[in-house]
Amino acid sequence: MKKLLRFFAYALATLALLILLGFLYIQIKGIPSYDTVTIDYHATPTPERIDRGRKLVGSLCIGCHINREAGNLGGQFMPDAPQEFGKIYSQNITGDKTYGIGEWTDAEIVYLLRTGIKRDGKYAPPYMAKLPFLSDEDMASIIVFLRSDDPLVAPSPIADTPCEPSFLTKFLSNTLFKPMPYPSAAIPMPDTSNTVEWGRYMAYNMECFSCHSADFKSNDFQHPEKSAGFFGGGNKPLNLEGEVMLTPNLTPDKETGIGNWTKQQFIAAVKSGKVDGQEALRYPMNPYVRLSDEEVGAIYDYLRTIPAISNKVERSGL
Ligand code: HEC
Ligand code: HEC
């Protein structure tokens, strides 16, 4: 009997030691690194691409990369990133050669946006957007715009503060979170005459699903529709004061989702932040002022086709 007890005591001590070593290993290793870019890529600037890129960057990247004092994409502390991920700072993505991405090649930028692998090989955890579904043409527009002299991205010497990822982020980045494969085939633009397909394209690429599903941790960025509680709301981004702002259910459920909303109400809410004259949006959901009625209407048509989820989300702080 005593022998057996001693055996268990040793086994437990060994297990505890292994867990401690694993913990230390991940804590010291930090965010993993991968092979750096080997692709050949160049985006040719055209005025149409600059315009399109302004709209995409101004809808998609601005929410995180805005520097609120400078009014450009100089990056800053992101108070809305859930604290469990650590202290998160979006980086300077203006054309500045020292602090921004002026020295990055087009290939390095596209590789990061597609796979999540940065110029130095480090993996960018899910608090940085990845765009596996964006069409090649829209991708080129984003890159051409980032290179332009638009005030949002003109070189601005704002020094970066590196992120301080939490142990959870490091752990997940060594286990669950993996870079995405670089696309092996061309990605065409969606067929805009099919509003459901177009709306899906927008809902995926504008990352609406990322905030409006159950939890950032269970989002599936490669198969968004497999994210837990897809568009059923209840995720917990923070506002600028660090308070939880629960996300509403956008599925067609009539009681708890937006099943009773008209397309006009939806467009007004997303573009101007108002429904029937009442404030419908607060930070971190900024009105998508640059999207057209047709684009937001297409998102509505798509949301009509996804499974309804019954999940009542109370509006935060009201
Ligand atoms: C949800 C917030 C979020 C969104 C949306 C987002 N980013 Fe980021 N981005 C970040 C964070 C946070 C980092 C820092 C990541 C890190 O430290 O690994 C980052 C890093 C980067 C970097 C690397 C910069 C460097 O100096 O290392 C580039 C380039 C970049 N983002 C471009 C973009 C572009 C272009 C878009 C729009 C298509 C975009 N980001 C959308 C949060 C975001
Ligand atoms: C950064 C996280 C985030 C992103 C990205 C985001 N939302 Fe939201 N959204 C929210 C939050 C939080 C609220 C609730 C705000 C409040 O309570 O005032 C909200 C509210 C809404 C509402 C109002 C719903 C209601 O029942 O009142 C609609 C509609 C909506 N979002 C649509 C969208 C669409 C479409 C997209 C993509 C184009 C999107 N959201 C992207 C966080 C986000």
Side-chain angles (χ1 to χ4, degrees), residues 186-199:
I187 307 182
M189 282 296 279
D191 172 5
T192 52
S193 65
N194 177 338
T195 56
V196 172
E197 194 185 307
W198 188 18

Side-chain angles (χ1 to χ4, degrees), residues 60-61 64-65 88 91 93 104 112 118 127-128 131 163:
L60 184 53
C61 322
C64 294
H65 282 279
I88 310 306
Q91 310 289 300
I93 58 168
W104 288 48
L112 167 64
K118 290 189 282 191
Y127 40 70
M128 160 60 192
L131 303 168
C163 293

Side-chain angles (χ1 to χ4, degrees), residues 245-265:
M245 293 295 288
L246 290 174
T247 60
N249 181 342
L250 301 185
T251 71
D253 189 65
K254 285 202 189 313
E255 271 81 49
T256 65
I258 58 166
N260 290 323
W261 285 41
T262 65
K263 191 186 275 193
Q264 279 321 313
Q265 283 174 317

Side-chain angles (χ1 to χ4, degrees), residues 258 260-276 280 296 300:
I258 58 166
N260 290 323
W261 285 41
T262 65
K263 191 186 275 193
Q264 279 321 313
Q265 283 174 317
F266 185 81
I267 294 173
V270 174
K271 287 189 59 178
S272 67
K274 290 208 162 48
V275 171
D276 305 332
V296 180
Y300 176 87

Side-chain angles (χ1 to χ4, degrees), residues 217-287:
K217 292 196 289 298
S218 47
N219 278 340
D220 185 335
F221 289 95
Q222 256 171 304
H223 313 97
E225 70 286 359
K226 290 191 185 155
S227 301
F230 183 57
F231 271 115
N235 199 354
K236 303 184 184 63
L238 307 178
N239 64 13
L240 292 172
E241 285 76 44
E243 295 153 352
V244 166
M245 293 295 288
L246 290 174
T247 60
N249 181 342
L250 301 185
T251 71
D253 189 65
K254 285 202 189 313
E255 271 81 49
T256 65
I258 58 166
N260 290 323
W261 285 41
T262 65
K263 191 186 275 193
Q264 279 321 313
Q265 283 174 317
F266 185 81
I267 294 173
V270 174
K271 287 189 59 178
S272 67
K274 290 208 162 48
V275 171
D276 305 332
Q278 302 281 337
E279 292 295 336
L281 302 181
R282 286 167 300 165
Y283 193 89
M285 164 110 188
N286 299 312

